[in-house]
Amino acid sequence: MSKGGLEAGETSKGAASASRGLSILDFLFRVVAGLATLASAIAMGTTNETLPFFTQFIRFRAEYDDLPTFTFFVVANAIITGYLVLSLTLSIFHIIRSGSKVTRIVLAILDMLALGLLTSAASAATAIVYLAHKGNASANWFAICQQFNNFCERTSGSLIGSYVAIVMFVLLILLSAFAISRHH
Amino acid sequence: MSKGGLEAGETSKGAASASRGLSILDFLFRVVAGLATLASAIAMGTTNETLPFFTQFIRFRAEYDDLPTFTFFVVANAIITGYLVLSLTLSIFHIIRSGSKVTRIVLAILDMLALGLLTSAASAATAIVYLAHKGNASANWFAICQQFNNFCERTSGSLIGSYVAIVMFVLLILLSAFAISRHH
């Protein structure tokens, strides 16, 4: 840590301003990713559809928490949104003090964990959405989208936010790696 | 790159042998991860069950490729196994020439991509396995495990290999980060 501090002290003014540019980009990516996961969580969390008709066999109301995977998706997106909001403070700290290296490494590791959680939530939800659209004849699972059209569109659409956030996280990690390597 | 080469030249003998220890650990983790994904791919890929009875409504034969998510799981695990076998050559190169930095960075980035692919395959397959075990009353999806007991045990078991490989990849990336930071 003391070594990193010394090296940071040696950083020239030009490098510091370039580093500040990276930090501002980092901040913007975090805002975009946070908005995307928030949109995903809200879109999925408020999804429900009541059909104007019902029979003995078909349920007439579908909500996101009928499927545990969608609940996991909402919880994961909400956690990531919270993490991104908290990480903005560290991101602002990096804009002001561009020399700090330890906090960048901590943030990069947390970003990787967040990326893992988000990838698994998005993949699991995608598997279920695919099943809802196509069904599976072998397992006798019906394509519920034929009945719950609006429900399916909402759940499919809410995946987009997560995938946008995944791309943002990959860019954030690459930015961090670049910023950390500059400080050597 | 030339800077990295100079620094590598300055590395002392003691640091080089410690770095060699890390490279050997890296090699072992890759072998374990490769065996785990291979076992996953084979266990899932050879899963099928023929029931001794059949009715008009229940299918009497279940195979892994009845569910597209399981096919994705097998393909992803096979790709990762292939990648791990190829990466062993670079890993051996790192044991012999512990100073090379660029190849370590390339390998760390490829490891991250592999981790992402494996996480998404394992999560999607887990979501489907969960559904097969529990079913979903709201969507009228039946728990097929009640009929296909052996099929379900095999598919559930094959997930373990992927999760072992995910843990190995996380350790590999941490090892790489440590090895790369030593060479500065």
Side-chain angles (χ1 to χ4, degrees), chain B residues 102-115:
Chain B
V102 181
T103 50
R104 276 182 205 276
I105 292 172
V106 170
L107 208 56
I109 291 171
L110 289 176
D111 279 350
M112 271 186 241
L113 292 178
L115 177 60

Side-chain angles (χ1 to χ4, degrees), chain A:
Chain A
M1 289 183 198
S2 59
K3 188 166 165 268
L6 271 173
E7 282 175 0
E10 290 158 12
T11 313
S12 70
K13 282 232 166 184
S17 79
S19 187
R20 183 156 299 156
L22 286 181
S23 299
I24 292 169
L25 211 57
D26 179 282
F27 182 82
L28 290 178
F29 283 166
R30 272 174 212 285
V31 171
V32 172
L35 290 176
T37 51
L38 183 67
S40 269
I42 290 175
M44 183 67 92
T46 57
T47 300
N48 64 67
E49 185 178 11
T50 309
L51 291 187
F53 61 90
F54 59 95
T55 71
Q56 196 183 344
F57 299 109
I58 299 162
R59 251 180 116 258
F60 56 98
R61 190 171 162 82
E63 269 182 282
Y64 81 97
D65 58 1
D66 288 334
L67 291 154
T69 311
F70 288 165
T71 312
F72 171 49
F73 181 82
V74 172
V75 170
N77 273 286
I79 288 173
I80 303 291
T81 308
Y83 160 72
L84 281 167
V85 170
L86 290 177
S87 76
L88 283 181
T89 55
L90 262 184
S91 189
I92 291 169
F93 174 72
H94 289 151
I95 296 176
I96 300 167
R97 285 201 48 172
S98 55
S100 61
K101 200 182 124 191
V102 182
T103 51
R104 276 181 205 276
I105 293 172
V106 170
L107 208 57
I109 291 171
L110 290 176
D111 280 350
M112 271 186 241
L113 292 177
L115 177 59
L117 177 63
L118 198 59
T119 307
S120 85
S123 308
T126 307
I128 299 295
V129 164
Y130 178 83
L131 206 60
H133 275 282
K134 300 268 175 176
N136 191 288
S138 317
N140 282 320
W141 291 336
F142 309 113
I144 55 168
C145 285
Q146 286 165 9
Q147 278 92 45
F148 296 99
N149 226 315
N150 185 32
F151 175 78
C152 267
E153 274 174 25
R154 276 291 281 278
T155 52
S156 310
S158 68
L159 296 178
I160 298 169
S162 280
Y163 283 110
V164 169
I166 286 172
V167 173
M168 287 295 131
F169 268 116
V170 171
L171 293 177
L172 278 172
I173 290 168
L174 290 179
L175 263 188
S176 293
F178 190 64
I180 292 166
S181 68
R182 279 180 71 93
H183 282 288
H184 276 289

Side-chain angles (χ1 to χ4, degrees), chain B residues 25-144:
Chain B
L25 212 57
D26 179 281
F27 182 82
L28 291 178
F29 283 165
R30 273 174 211 284
V31 171
V32 172
L35 290 177
T37 51
L38 184 66
S40 269
I42 290 175
M44 183 68 92
T46 57
T47 299
N48 63 68
E49 186 179 11
T50 309
L51 291 188
F53 61 90
F54 58 94
T55 71
Q56 196 182 346
F57 299 108
I58 299 161
R59 252 180 115 259
F60 56 98
R61 191 173 160 78
E63 270 182 282
Y64 82 96
D65 59 359
D66 288 333
L67 291 153
T69 312
F70 288 164
T71 311
F72 170 50
F73 180 82
V74 172
V75 171
N77 272 287
I79 289 172
I80 303 290
T81 308
Y83 160 71
L84 281 167
V85 170
L86 290 177
S87 76
L88 284 181
T89 55
L90 262 184
S91 190
I92 291 170
F93 175 72
H94 288 152
I95 295 176
I96 300 167
R97 284 202 48 173
S98 54
S100 62
K101 200 181 123 193
V102 181
T103 50
R104 276 182 205 276
I105 292 172
V106 170
L107 208 56
I109 291 171
L110 289 176
D111 279 350
M112 271 186 241
L113 292 178
L115 177 60
L117 177 62
L118 199 58
T119 308
S120 86
S123 308
T126 307
I128 299 296
V129 165
Y130 178 84
L131 206 61
H133 275 282
K134 301 268 176 178
N136 191 286
S138 316
N140 281 321
W141 290 338
F142 310 113
I144 54 167

